Amino acid sequence: MKIIAGNWKMNGSRAALDDMIDAISRVATGDVRIALCVPYTMLRAGNAAVMIGAQNVSKFDGGAHTGNVSAAMVRATGAVATLVGHSETRDELHDKNADVSIRAARAIENDLLPIICVGETDTERDAGIGTDVVVRGVRESVPVCATDGGFIIAYEPRWAIGRGITPDMSDIENMHKIIRKTLDDMGFANTPILYGASVTAQNVHDIINIKNVDGVLVGGASLKKQDFIPIIENAK
Ligand code: PEP
């Protein structure tokens, strides 16, 4: 089964989310699993077709942490998943892999499915250390409490996110092969790996059929029905 996750970032409204869930419910079939990761203010329960997730959770369980939202609070809305370690939150909150691992642990402890994002910058890629950064990202961001299949890895080359850049299919295949081997070595042979960065209705079919690509994480093209529904349809 393939997974298609949308990341709405700081966009959308509750009405737009209700509308998107309706539209997805009309086209989704049993062979794709859909998730929408939305701003905290829009969190709600999903339905049989759509899982709803947050875009981050606090490292803390509660207390004097102004501006934070705990994993338990997210779960209490009916949401069932969360992104952690997205490149934008890594940048804005100065999160290292160790911080991402704590966030993922809080998610797991509170019955949320973490989608743990890893990826290399263009500087790292050009310096020839892209694969090292990604392997370290996986090894260091997955918490010790993780179980096989109890989390998802999203590989997002940071130089391609939001820029309309699609890497060569062979580059995606190569990185997913390395991530697959890393996860297998860690005892997570059944943990899915998503590809994310500038996925569209035009390129989703080719990307999702690459070996070791278990689904896609979609940013900009997940916001509007006319972009996201064709992605779901073309991925089938
Ligand atoms: C993302 O930010 O997770 C993402 C994949 O963005 P985009 O699809 O817009 O590149």
Side-chain angles (χ1 to χ4, degrees), residues 61-152:
D61 285 327
H65 302 289
T66 304
N68 277 244
V69 175
S70 73
M73 291 168 175
V74 170
R75 186 66 190 91
T77 66
V80 294
T82 186
L83 297 175
V84 289
H86 188 277
S87 63
E88 288 152 18
T89 49
R90 282 180 188 256
D91 285 347
E92 290 175 9
L93 301 180
H94 310 292
D95 267 7
K96 303 281 179 258
N97 292 331
D99 303 295
V100 175
S101 170
I102 296 169
R103 295 182 194 280
R106 292 292 93 82
I108 291 168
E109 289 159 9
N110 287 283
D111 203 19
L112 291 174
L113 175 70
I115 302 174
I116 302 174
C117 305
V118 297
E120 80 285 14
T121 63
D122 39 8
T123 313
E124 291 161 342
R125 179 199 55 181
D126 295 346
I129 58 166
T131 52
D132 294 351
V133 169
V134 170
V135 168
R136 217 166 351 103
V138 174
R139 288 203 168 275
E140 296 176 0
S141 303
V142 175
V144 284
C145 64
T147 55
D148 193 14
F151 68 101
I152 292 173

Side-chain angles (χ1 to χ4, degrees), residues 7 9 86 88 156 160-162 196-199 217-220:
N7 171 14
K9 310 193 183 195
H86 188 277
E88 288 152 18
E156 300 202 291
I161 293 178
S198 303
V199 172
L217 177 56
V218 186

Side-chain angles (χ1 to χ4, degrees), residues 25-58:
S25 305
R26 272 183 255 117
V27 297
T29 56
D31 48 1
V32 283
R33 206 170 160 206
I34 315 288
L36 289 173
C37 297
V38 298
Y40 292 126
T41 52
M42 295 167 212
L43 288 174
R44 46 160 279 187
N47 63 18
V50 189
M51 292 189 286
I52 300 297
Q55 298 170 7
N56 201 8
V57 290
S58 176

Side-chain angles (χ1 to χ4, degrees), residues 1 7-8 26 34 108-109 113 155 158 167 182 194 227:
M1 184 192 296
N7 171 14
W8 276 19
R26 272 183 255 117
I34 315 288
I108 291 168
E109 289 159 9
L113 175 70
Y155 166 59
R158 294 169 68 155
T182 305
L194 311 187
D227 297 325

